[in-house]
Amino acid sequence: MTQDSQLPDLLPAAELSLCLSRAFLAPQAGVTLAEAQGPLLDDLRSLAETLPTLDTERLDALSRALAALTDSQQLILGYSRLFLTPPAPAPLNLGAYLDGGLMARSVPSMEALYLRHGLERDPTFLDLPDHLSLHLQWLAWVYSEAMEARETGTDATPALTDAATMLHDLTLPALAGVRRKVTQAARDEITLPWRLLIELTHDQLTHDLACLEAALPSLASRATPPPKRRNVNTVETFEASEAPRETLSCRSCGEAFESDPVMAEMRQRLSAAGVSADHLAVCPGCRDGQDGPTTLRPPGAGLKAWQ
């Protein structure tokens, strides 16, 4: 169990994740240049006092990059040039960097972590479940869960462990690929704001992981994923886990069921960290039942960009 003195204040990081999540949904969310120059920058500046990644130099560079654009069409064209238009150099579907293709082996692992916290994709979300924006929304939700646990005096370790696992095993290895591709892409004015936002996202999530590992020292001993090119054979995925399967009793309905590879791996990791894995003992029927997940809409934090 984490001690309150070790638990970082994750609410500013949750708010930043929400800001960035909406930014990376620009075409779907209808983000305009005026919103990016106004509410988005205002939110980032308001968080700068608590988040060291939001230094003055970075915010000024982003402000200048946005000011250099003439209209919302240029903002979306820059987004499309980097992330959408085939052959886009840096798609935001993270599984492509982990597995070398879309909807591959890492995606069920991501969805299992979404569902573990009672979340699923909003039906109106038009992209795949490995989109960077969903990772950022999920992180905001789980960070908020951990803060709520601290306020109520309950154990925040399961939420912190899942957040660290997502960051270490999935989000950051893939985001390193996005960052590398973006760095190699054309250095024109209309893509510059998006290149700066990718850099900010990578740096902030790296900082988040360091804070989580400091709060959970047992996680810090894990091997760091190699920063070089990754392929299907070198990617760590839960689906390939050799963790022992267990026959468990569902804590919702009481029926016996066998753990799948994802659950087996997560239970083994929690056990190794000295953390109870009892909260994972929910059978597939109860996870998918009528009282199951809510849609992936993270808690608001009074951010202008989400109004």
Side-chain angles (χ1 to χ4, degrees), residues 72-278:
S72 298
Q73 184 176 356
Q74 279 198 328
L75 181 71
I76 300 304
L77 180 59
Y79 181 102
S80 179
R81 185 172 293 178
L82 278 179
F83 307 131
L84 290 179
T85 305
L92 295 177
N93 296 104
L94 302 186
Y97 302 90
L98 297 170
D99 305 315
L102 297 178
M103 292 301 290
R105 292 183 301 167
S106 62
V107 174
S109 303
M110 299 174 192
E111 292 191 301
L113 284 166
Y114 293 163
L115 292 170
R116 188 158 294 140
H117 293 266
L119 303 171
E120 64 183 8
R121 270 194 309 155
D122 190 315
T124 63
F125 183 73
L126 302 179
D127 212 300
L128 298 175
D130 60 346
H131 195 281
L132 173 61
S133 183
L134 286 190
H135 274 241
L136 292 168
Q137 290 187 48
W138 181 87
L139 286 166
W141 186 287
V142 176
Y143 291 168
S144 298
E145 269 190 358
M147 294 295 94
E148 183 178 349
R150 181 175 70 173
E151 292 298 317
T152 59
T154 54
D155 188 10
T157 304
L160 295 176
T161 302
D162 281 355
T165 296
M166 180 75 93
L167 287 169
H168 181 277
D169 293 354
L170 298 167
T171 313
L172 278 170
L175 191 54
V178 179
R179 180 175 177 240
R180 182 177 64 252
K181 293 290 189 180
V182 162
T183 301
Q184 295 168 350
R187 293 186 168 276
D188 52 80
E189 279 190 345
I190 64 171
T191 62
L192 181 56
W194 300 110
R195 288 185 274 128
L196 292 174
L197 287 172
I198 287 291
E199 191 74 25
L200 167 60
T201 305
H202 180 271
D203 289 353
Q204 179 60 43
L205 296 189
T206 300
H207 176 75
D208 290 352
L209 179 58
C211 291
L212 294 172
E213 290 181 335
L216 297 167
S218 59
L219 297 179
S221 60
R222 298 174 302 185
T224 301
K228 298 181 181 179
R229 231 180 322 186
R230 302 170 66 83
N231 55 50
V232 175
N233 293 328
T234 60
V235 175
E236 177 186 2
T237 64
F238 293 139
E239 291 296 329
S241 168
E242 297 180 358
R245 310 301 187 261
E246 302 170 280
T247 299
L248 305 170
S249 178
C250 176
R251 59 195 298 251
S252 293
C253 68
E255 293 294 321
F257 71 100
E258 186 172 347
S259 58
D260 57 27
V262 174
M263 183 179 291
E265 175 68 17
M266 290 301 299
R267 286 179 62 85
Q268 180 171 274
R269 292 184 184 205
L270 290 173
S271 177
V275 178
S276 171
D278 291 345

Side-chain angles (χ1 to χ4, degrees), residues 22-23 26 29-43 45 62-63 65-76 193-194 304-307:
R22 188 169 191 273
V31 175
T32 65
L33 180 59
E35 287 177 305
Q37 292 173 329
L40 174 61
L41 275 175
D42 289 346
D43 287 336
R45 289 190 177 104
L62 179 59
S63 180
L66 290 168
L69 303 184
T70 58
D71 52 35
S72 298
Q73 184 176 356
Q74 279 198 328
L75 181 71
I76 300 304
W194 300 110
K304 295 180 182 179
W306 281 83
Q307 300 305 313

